[in-house]
Amino acid sequence: VAAASHWVFDGCVMYRTEGIWSENRVKEKLQAAHEQYEQLTCGFRRCRLLNPLTLDLANCGPRARCKGQRVDSLRFFSWMQHVQETFHCGGFCQPEVPIFGLSTMKETLEERPACVDAIVELLQIAGKGFGATAVVLAVPMALMAIRLACVASEEVPGSSSGSEAAPLTRRGTGHRGHR
């Protein structure tokens, strides 16, 4: 989780600062997501040209088109709507005015932080939580394993200390006898 969040964050930071995507495992997915976000933004701009009082891309319907395609049919549409409404963020990789979840004209003028920043922060918190959970579970398990090893090495009650255990191998063969 931590590595993926760093790749996403580094990819967006490089895009913000240099205009290119960093070479890493998520480069193609980042580019594809950003391209779909750009199409959503294009559709929202077109919708607002037709009706400047529209505050939310979700209310545009068929007016929201980009490159001849309705943007509400993009896979990224519902996900980006959920992210912007949940995290109160702006653009995908860059701080921008959101295209979803606005309720006043004033909000259409206010940039919000990039959604990737909020998502990466959530992934880092989740990663720390998983790590802490692993430690919390591992310590008692390790203590139980040590205790079990100590108990197993102790003498079994009820057996005499002078008696020896039966040998596990047959005499002279060096292996267990199975015929």
Side-chain angles (χ1 to χ4, degrees), residues 54-95:
T54 303
L55 301 175
D56 191 319
L57 179 59
N59 298 328
C60 289
R63 293 185 310 249
R65 299 181 79 78
C66 187
K67 300 178 185 176
Q69 177 184 2
R70 284 182 59 162
V71 297
D72 58 358
S73 65
L74 296 171
R75 289 184 307 140
F76 200 62
F77 182 93
S78 297
W79 183 81
M80 194 66 201
Q81 181 180 15
H82 173 74
V83 168
Q84 283 190 345
E85 290 174 356
T86 302
F87 294 105
H88 303 285
C89 55
F92 180 67
C93 271
Q94 302 183 64

Side-chain angles (χ1 to χ4, degrees), residues 37-141:
Y37 180 76
E38 290 294 317
Q39 286 183 290
L40 293 174
T41 304
C42 168
F44 188 51
R45 279 194 297 263
R46 183 177 184 277
C47 175
R48 291 209 64 207
L49 283 173
L50 298 171
N51 181 0
L53 299 177
T54 303
L55 301 175
D56 191 319
L57 179 59
N59 298 328
C60 289
R63 293 185 310 249
R65 299 181 79 78
C66 187
K67 300 178 185 176
Q69 177 184 2
R70 284 182 59 162
V71 297
D72 58 358
S73 65
L74 296 171
R75 289 184 307 140
F76 200 62
F77 182 93
S78 297
W79 183 81
M80 194 66 201
Q81 181 180 15
H82 173 74
V83 168
Q84 283 190 345
E85 290 174 356
T86 302
F87 294 105
H88 303 285
C89 55
F92 180 67
C93 271
Q94 302 183 64
E96 293 178 10
V97 174
I99 56 178
F100 292 106
L102 300 179
S103 56
T104 66
M105 275 298 182
K106 182 181 180 226
E107 289 177 314
T108 65
L109 303 173
E110 299 168 349
E111 274 189 357
R112 293 185 186 169
C115 291
V116 162
D117 297 346
I119 294 166
V120 166
E121 185 178 333
L122 177 67
L123 288 173
Q124 289 175 340
I125 290 169
K128 289 176 184 174
F130 290 141
T133 302
V135 168
V136 167
L137 293 174
V139 169
M141 295 289 277

